[in-house]
Amino acid sequence: MLDLKNISKTFNPGTVNAKTAISNLSLHLDPGDFVTIIGSNGAGKSTMFNAIAGAFYVDEGSVILDGKNITFLPEYKRSHFIGRLFQDPLKGTAPTMTIEENMALAYLRNTEGASPFTRISKKDKAFFREQLSLLNMGLEDRMKQPVGLLSGGQRQALTLLMSTMVPPKLLLLDEHTAALDPGTAEKVLNLTKDITTRHHITCLMITHNMKQALDLGNRTLLMSDGSIVLDIKGEERSTLSVEDLLTRFKAGTGKDLDNDRILLSD
């Protein structure tokens, strides 16, 4: 489904500020995989997401999605079939536009053959209302309100819905609950599980919570220095504890995981 084949990316090459962010990285995902990713700051997690989403072109290697080589496909074209949520809940929506207008833009952009100038029908609006009701936040009764009036959790839930109304081939979640309070984060996380399961969406999720990384999905990756150092799944993953994960990380990298945000998360 997704194949990263020996991809590498160096920023500021040939200068004193040269930084190799990912190096000779390979990864294969099967359809429906839900993969959690753990790693310290600078491990290459977000850089890998940017390479997949097309925020830049990789220096070496190739990006294959659903059998199609998208290595040199522009980011705006990849966005038609790759959904992405960021840590900042304000990033995925336009605050001065209404909930309905935000949903219409997302729906038309991701619907094959649709033009951004297509008129939204009553049937489309009913669909938006039905989708919003699944969030259980009462947003279906606020469709004419500007998104800027919503809380961070409501905006993140709306962004998740907008990214999956037309199910993408791949969903990238970059610590999408980290900026939310614990109660709201849990609600958005449960919505994530429900939506990805219902639509059988292949998903990569960066998290700083090691227990969460083992409890969610079917596979866990640990990254360090621009490489995948551990890839755990199946029966091996089901019996692993957080302490085991830390031990495996040290065995795989020769160093302790030193990110306090990860170590102190529960």
Side-chain angles (χ1 to χ4, degrees), residues 1-265:
M1 192 279 168
L2 173 69
D3 279 295
L4 304 180
K5 297 184 177 181
N6 306 114
I7 64 170
S8 297
K9 180 64 181 181
T10 298
F11 295 102
N12 304 309
T15 73
V16 294
N17 296 317
K19 167 67 176 175
T20 298
I22 44 177
S23 178
N24 201 35
L25 185 150
S26 293
L27 174 66
H28 171 78
L29 298 187
D30 290 322
D33 271 348
F34 191 128
V35 182
T36 56
I37 306 169
I38 283 277
S40 300
N41 291 337
K45 307 180 299 297
S46 293
T47 304
M48 181 176 71
F49 272 21
N50 285 333
I52 295 169
F56 53 72
Y57 295 147
V58 294
D59 299 331
E60 297 176 0
S62 56
V63 181
I64 312 294
L65 184 64
D66 210 16
K68 181 180 178 181
N69 191 328
I70 62 169
T71 308
F72 298 108
L73 195 69
E75 182 177 19
Y76 77 92
K77 289 189 176 181
R78 296 190 205 190
S79 69
H80 293 302
F81 46 81
I82 297 177
R84 187 172 185 182
L85 270 74
F86 296 88
Q87 180 175 330
D88 185 351
L90 307 185
K91 272 192 172 183
T93 48
T96 59
M97 298 176 69
T98 66
I99 294 173
E100 181 180 285
E101 289 167 341
N102 271 270
M103 294 184 74
L105 282 177
Y107 182 66
L108 292 174
R109 185 187 66 185
N110 295 325
T111 300
E112 190 174 351
S115 161
F117 302 105
T118 303
R119 243 182 118 75
I120 294 297
S121 66
K122 288 184 178 179
K123 183 179 178 181
D124 293 330
K125 293 179 181 181
F127 172 65
F128 297 162
R129 184 179 177 83
E130 177 189 355
Q131 292 294 300
L132 285 168
S133 69
L134 298 176
L135 301 180
N136 292 314
M137 291 180 170
L139 299 185
E140 66 273 17
D141 297 319
R142 301 172 61 184
M143 289 175 61
K144 297 296 184 182
Q145 288 191 3
V147 166
L149 297 179
L150 304 183
S151 68
Q154 289 171 328
R155 285 182 73 163
Q156 197 69 306
L158 177 61
T159 303
L160 175 63
L161 184 63
M162 288 163 54
S163 298
T164 55
M165 271 193 308
V166 180
K169 293 181 179 179
L170 180 67
L171 182 62
L172 305 176
L173 305 173
D174 195 344
E175 294 199 76
H176 71 305
T177 62
L180 308 178
D181 66 81
T184 305
E186 184 178 3
K187 187 165 189 174
V188 171
L189 206 56
N190 287 333
L191 285 169
T192 302
K193 290 187 285 187
D194 291 345
I195 289 172
T196 53
T197 300
R198 188 186 321 130
H199 296 297
H200 197 62
I201 297 171
T202 306
C203 182
L204 284 166
M205 187 183 87
I206 297 171
T207 177
H208 66 273
N209 188 310
M210 298 190 78
K211 186 176 185 306
Q212 193 179 84
L214 291 172
D215 290 344
L216 287 172
N218 64 311
R219 187 173 168 191
T220 297
L221 305 179
L222 267 72
M223 293 187 66
S224 179
D225 298 325
S227 299
I228 296 170
V229 294
L230 283 175
D231 185 349
I232 308 166
K233 53 189 171 182
E235 186 177 346
E236 177 190 22
R237 182 178 184 262
S238 67
T239 60
L240 215 60
S241 68
V242 170
E243 291 73 22
D244 294 332
L245 203 56
L246 290 169
T247 300
R248 293 285 302 277
F249 181 87
K250 185 172 183 178
T253 63
K255 58 186 178 182
D256 291 315
L257 185 62
D258 59 358
N259 187 305
D260 289 343
R261 189 167 167 230
I262 293 174
L263 296 175
L264 295 175
S265 64

